[in-house]
Amino acid sequence: LWLVGHLLRPSQLDWRIMARAVVVAIVGGIAALVPILLLPAIPAFAVALVASMLVSWLAGTRLGMLSSEDAEWLSEVLAGRLGGRIEPLVRRFGVAPRP
């Protein structure tokens, strides 16, 4: 019951960020579905995986899926990983705060 209460409590998450995440998920799913429908099983899986990741990455960086605070926190947590290469990538998913 604690988990249900925790999940159902009011949150600070902006509905626009949730809508953007849903759009990114749908677009990535469609990108994965196309090769699955057109190619044989094994190549379809490989192509679908790559296509879904690329399309999700492009859509996520263009639309922004994280609040600016979350992007800042995540970039700080990952700052030292892979020689600092992850930090600018994470910041691309952030959304500028509204005035």
Side-chain angles (χ1 to χ4, degrees):
L1 290 176
W2 174 87
L3 180 60
V4 172
H6 185 70
L7 292 174
L8 295 178
R9 70 178 160 79
S11 69
Q12 300 289 339
L13 193 57
D14 186 12
W15 68 270
R16 291 180 290 267
I17 292 174
M18 287 298 295
R20 290 175 183 148
V22 168
V23 168
V24 170
I26 290 170
V27 170
I30 291 170
L33 181 62
V34 171
I36 296 290
L37 296 175
L38 298 178
L39 299 172
I42 300 296
F45 176 75
V47 172
L49 183 65
V50 172
S52 177
M53 289 184 337
L54 287 175
V55 169
S56 296
W57 177 265
L58 289 173
T61 57
R62 299 298 181 262
L63 294 175
M65 291 176 33
L66 295 173
S67 68
S68 58
E69 296 86 17
D70 289 341
E72 178 72 26
W73 172 82
L74 190 56
S75 66
E76 287 176 11
V77 168
L78 299 175
R81 308 282 188 234
L82 294 175
R85 288 186 216 117
I86 291 181
E87 185 177 359
L89 301 176
V90 169
R91 289 182 187 266
R92 298 183 112 208
F93 281 97
V95 176
R98 292 186 174 260

